[in-house]
Amino acid sequence: MTPHINAKKEDIAETVLMPGDPRRAKWAAENFLDNARLVNEVRGMYGFTGTYKGNPVTIHGSGMGMPSLSIYANELITQYGAKTLIRIGSCGAMQDDVKVRDVVIAMTATTLSTPSRGIFKELNFAPCADYGLLENAVTAARDTGAQTHVGGIYSSDVFYDERPDLNELMMRHGTLAVEMEAAELYLVAARHKARALAICTVSDHLITHEALPPEDREQSFGDMVEIALHAAFG
Ligand code: HPA
């Protein structure tokens, strides 16, 4: 038990998939895992554990933003022994050739700040994906037929952004997309020697202002769950 997770230690698997939305954790567990059971519901942040091809897997919500994800990632790794954490989320495209529905796999994530800022202080530590997970995820994503982009993303502290100059700067430096969690996931994983990866589907476009139609969201999310499971288990 931790302040935010009331599962027993043995109820959390070493491999954890983390969607932002807890209801998505429920949907993914019901549709992709065998024998899925609810293991956490503190604050409505559902966690489910089951198996995929015989491998134990937990699917646990992260909430929105780095402070929320940081709480769950810290507790899952340090108190429950999670060793592989894969974010499955959405992002806003920042390049013309990154389209709505495409898959973005983050090698690294730029930030203005993260909850780890107070630890690193003057150091600009580079958050970095686990290469083995990244390689498996790229193969799995291309196998689904999805257009797949691999590179740097931006983990923002705000959804309602008032700094178009920063977005422009990052676009000019090839940043693929913006979301709100990956950098802190990579930093927490690095601190505790866990493996981490963020896989996102493009739900909206910062240049064209196109958005993924609601009826396509479930399919895109399901594809990401499959990519994440293949990344974890090869
Ligand atoms: N900004 C931040 N996070 C996001 C966005 C966005 O445009 N789209 C999906 N997650």
Side-chain angles (χ1 to χ4, degrees):
M1 291 258 288
T2 66
H4 307 95
I5 304 175
N6 63 0
K8 294 204 232 36
K9 184 152 192 323
E10 61 272 22
D11 284 340
I12 301 289
E14 287 190 358
T15 299
V16 184
L17 270 48
M18 300 190 80
D21 179 351
R23 285 171 313 165
R24 290 250 152 131
K26 182 171 189 291
W27 182 88
E30 285 168 354
N31 286 279
F32 289 90
L33 301 186
D34 296 320
N35 304 313
R37 61 186 202 286
L38 180 70
V39 294
N40 186 35
E41 54 182 339
V42 176
R43 291 174 183 246
M45 192 57 78
Y46 299 132
F48 287 81
T49 295
T51 59
Y52 173 76
K53 296 187 178 165
N55 302 292
V57 180
T58 296
I59 308 185
H60 196 292
S62 70
M64 288 178 283
M66 290 185 273
S68 178
L69 175 132
S70 190
I71 290 170
Y72 295 106
N74 264 291
E75 292 181 6
L76 288 164
I77 297 172
T78 65
Q79 307 300 309
Y80 286 98
K83 300 206 175 335
T84 298
L85 293 89
I86 304 178
R87 162 165 160 70
I88 42 177
S90 61
C91 62
M94 299 181 95
Q95 300 292 328
D96 287 318
D97 66 334
V98 179
K99 312 279 189 207
V100 165
R101 278 185 207 82
D102 288 1
V103 173
V104 173
I105 300 178
M107 295 171 76
T108 186
T110 301
T111 63
L112 283 180
S113 175
T114 81
S116 296
R117 187 70 172 184
I119 296 167
F120 290 114
K121 298 186 183 154
E122 69 274 38
L123 192 67
N124 286 316
F125 186 87
C128 173
D130 176 83
Y131 182 73
L133 290 177
L134 182 125
E135 192 178 24
N136 287 350
V138 173
T139 305
R142 296 204 164 129
D143 286 349
T144 68
Q147 280 296 320
T148 305
H149 308 267
V150 186
I153 64 169
Y154 172 39
S155 294
S156 176
D157 283 332
V158 290
F159 187 86
Y160 298 102
D161 193 31
E162 298 280 344
R163 289 289 304 275
D165 57 319
L166 279 181
N167 285 343
E168 189 276 329
L169 189 66
M170 281 182 286
M171 287 172 185
R172 214 151 32 82
H173 286 78
T175 304
L176 297 174
V178 54
E179 51 86 73
M180 299 181 68
E181 291 83 13
E184 177 68 1
L185 175 64
Y186 289 2
L187 296 174
V188 172
R191 190 167 311 130
H192 300 294
K193 299 189 168 41
R195 307 193 300 163
L197 182 68
I199 305 166
C200 297
T201 42
V202 177
S203 61
D204 52 272
H205 208 294
L206 269 64
I207 302 167
T208 65
H209 303 294
E210 210 191 329
L212 187 65
E215 59 272 22
D216 290 358
R217 282 171 194 252
E218 189 170 289
Q219 175 70 42
S220 294
F221 182 69
D223 287 349
M224 250 187 316
V225 177
E226 280 205 57
I227 294 165
L229 290 167
H230 281 100
F233 301 113

